[in-house]
């Protein structure tokens, strides 16, 4: 007889999850880790943590630094890959049989959480207890041979874990591993050759471990310097460039710039050294020599305790700092479970703020002591500095006079422009500036293009730096007030033509006026703002929807719709001829052609009706000319 489930597990009793290891490995490979290549990083990370644990257990252990300063007998990490196996061996703290059962056979449990070393948890790179599973991305079996350094004369312990979730443990004589430490051996699957071939394993070891603090060597089994029994090829022959000593400050600066060029592939405009002792962070920020698109954020190369975490870490700097790329190595930043990005916490936020302050300090030093560097920097990255100046009063006071803007005098700094124009007018869009630039310049008005990101807001803050400057928004009334009226006789003579023109352009809600202005080569000026066009569109929709709910809403929003204005230039020979036309159809066509030409010169997007008008008026004028010739 089969007992009901409630007899085996009474109601409310605790039960244990059953884990499908193959399904878990598939989850890791497709969702947690970005690539199977992380298996070697996880093995190296475990080895580094084991060495760190041994150092806390035996402070006098010969755990020398990487590089030429490392003693020949220093404990470290040895990698071996010959195409048939991948092996990672360390001289770390090792594991007892109880440790093997507790930590290797329980998914998610990490030896870094053990109470006996809990107080040193921050010293370890990995803290999630799943790193070893990444080995199943390239192999079906993991072989671990370990001997603990905590117990004198401890036996060796062998653990074999398989991808189906089964494992075996054996206790071996101490002679199976003469020294404490751990060796992990993988026999790669046939489909994992891309990641386990000797050349690729060596490249991955260099990629992830070039800044590790313990000596790491690689052996490809060829019998050369890295052959069996040999010393191995060093993976990290030199310490990080910022950790080295240099004969002069200039030599240090050149070495850091060369390292930045090696890592990122460009020659930095300048190199900013980063040092935050509170979190054990050191590194460099390389200033990009060319501008980058607004809002585009570059990834930064972040190491945690020497191990490469990510080369696409955007979160380490604020969004406005897209003019630099960083290489940093930190002690106290927390990686996520995949160890491919940083955990967003208060520490990361504080580091981001501190690094932002370092960048501000660099800009301040350049402004105070290196005007040539500042000029080259602003030429390439004025948009980044403008975004910073909007929110940073110190940078605003320091750099606003030096920032370039598009003006009616060409590209100029605000300091230069304000010296020439006591009243600085600023447009709200690029198209408005393009509409009025030539006319305003000829009229002696000083106009700044405020249509680009941050520009209008920054120009309005100019009086904070130069109290004598006056800044105002440019509106059509300001411009038309600077256009000279024609005499009464000329106005009366052109009245018939102006009436025909107003009738022809009424469909565009456009009035027509006759004025004189420079340059005389401009036949007409179309004064129309984006806000005015939107208001006219809203009014038209309200009329079309009259009586409905949507029409009532639009009607409530609508104000008196402002009209566009086509201003004809009496100084232009073509206009002087046009206003004398007494043939109504030809007068209408010429007015439409003048409107179309002015609309194109404004460089704003043309509406379909305007495009149709331009084509029609051109063909009508061409037909009139042909009829006249024949």
């Amino acid at each position: 007889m089969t007992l009901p489930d409630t007899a085996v597990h009474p109601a409310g009793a605790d039960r244990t999850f059953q884990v499908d290891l193959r399904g878990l490995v598939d989850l890791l490979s497709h969702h947690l880790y970005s690539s199977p290549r992380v298996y070697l990083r996880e093995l190296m990370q475990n080895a580094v943590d084991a060495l760190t644990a041994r150092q806390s257990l035996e402070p006098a252990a010969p755990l020398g630094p990487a590089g030429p300063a490392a003693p020949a007998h220093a404990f470290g990490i040895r990698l071996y890959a010959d195409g048939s196996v991948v092996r990672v061996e360390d001289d770390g703290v090792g594991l007892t049989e109880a440790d093997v059962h507790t930590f290797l056979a329980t998914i998610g449990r990490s030896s870094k959480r053990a109470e006996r070393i809990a107080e040193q948890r921050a010293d370890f790179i990995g803290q999630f207890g799943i790193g070893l599973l990444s080995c199943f991305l390239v192999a079906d079996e993991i072989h671990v041979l370990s001997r603990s350094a905590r117990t004198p004369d401890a036996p060796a312990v062998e653990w074999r874990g398989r991808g189906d979730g089964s494992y075996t443990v054996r206790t071996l004589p101490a002679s199976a591993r003469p020294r404490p430490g751990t060796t992990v051996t993988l026999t790669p699957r046939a489909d994992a050759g891309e990641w386990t071939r000797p050349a690729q394993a060596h490249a991955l070891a260099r990629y992830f471990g070039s800044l590790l603090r313990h000596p790491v060597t690689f052996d490809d089994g060829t019998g050369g310097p890295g052959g069996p029994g040999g010393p191995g090829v060093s993976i990290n022959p030199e310490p990080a460039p910022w950790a080295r000593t240099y004969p002069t400050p200039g030599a240090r600066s050149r070495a850091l710039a060369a390292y930045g060029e090696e890592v990122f592939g460009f020659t930095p405009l300048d190199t900013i050294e980063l040092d935050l002792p509170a979190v054990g962070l050191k590194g460099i920020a390389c200033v990009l020599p060319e501008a980058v698109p607004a809002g585009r954020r570059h990834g930064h190369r972040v190491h945690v305790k020497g191990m490469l975490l990510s080369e696409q870490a955007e979160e380490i700097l604020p969004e406005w700092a897209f003019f630099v790329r960083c290489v940093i190595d930190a002690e106290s930043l927390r990686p996520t479970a995949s160890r491919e990005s940083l955990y967003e916490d208060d520490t990361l936020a504080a580091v981001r703020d501190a690094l932002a302050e370092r960048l501000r300090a660099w800009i301040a030093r350049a402004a105070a002591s290196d005007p040539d560097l500042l000029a080259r920097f602003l030429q390439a990255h004025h948009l980044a500095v403008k975004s910073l100046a909007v929110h940073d009063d110190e940078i605003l006071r320091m750099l606003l006079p030096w920032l370039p803007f598009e003006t009616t005098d060409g590209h100029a700094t605000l300091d230069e422009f304000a010296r020439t124009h006591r009243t600085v007018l600023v447009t709200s869009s690029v198209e408005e500036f393009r509409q009025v630039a030539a006319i305003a310049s000829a009229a002696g008005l000083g106009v700044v293009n405020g249509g680009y990101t941050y520009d209008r807001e920054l120009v309005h803050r100019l009086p904070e730096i130069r109290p004598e400057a006056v800044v105002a928004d440019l509106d059509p009334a300001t411009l038309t007030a600077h256009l000279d009226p024609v005499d009464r006789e000329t106005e009366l003579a052109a009245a018939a033509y102006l009436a025909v023109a107003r009738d022809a352009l009424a469909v565009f809600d456009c009035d027509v006026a006759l004025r004189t202005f420079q340059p005389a080569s401009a036949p007409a000026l179309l004064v129309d703002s984006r806000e005015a066009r939107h208001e006219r569109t809203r009014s038209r929709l309200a009329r079309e929807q009259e009586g409905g709910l949507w029409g009532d809403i639009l009607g409530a929003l609508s104000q008196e719709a402002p009209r566009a204005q086509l201003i004809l230039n009496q100084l232009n020979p073509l206009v002087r001829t046009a206003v004398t036309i007494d043939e109504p159809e030809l007068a209408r066509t010429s007015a439409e052609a003048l409107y179309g030409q002015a609309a194109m010169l404004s460089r704003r997007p043309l509406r379909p009706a305007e495009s149709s008008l331009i084509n029609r008026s051109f063909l009508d004028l061409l037909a009139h000319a042909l009829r006249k010739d024949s």
Side-chain angles (χ1 to χ4, degrees), residues 423-427 460 470-474:
T423 299
V424 176
L425 301 172
V426 57
T427 64
H460 274 287
V470 177
V471 177
D473 286 323
L474 176 69

Side-chain angles (χ1 to χ4, degrees), residues 480-504:
T480 54
H482 284 76
L483 305 181
D484 297 327
V486 296
D487 57 70
R488 184 173 179 79
E489 290 76 13
T490 303
E491 183 82 31
L492 289 174
Y497 179 85
L498 295 177
V500 171
R502 291 186 184 109
D503 181 67

Side-chain angles (χ1 to χ4, degrees), residues 94-116:
L95 299 170
T96 64
E97 183 178 357
D99 291 337
V100 167
H101 285 289
T102 302
F103 302 124
L104 298 189
T106 305
I107 295 172
R109 179 174 292 177
S110 170
S111 62
K112 272 74 79 175
R113 293 196 178 98
E115 289 183 4
R116 60 179 174 270

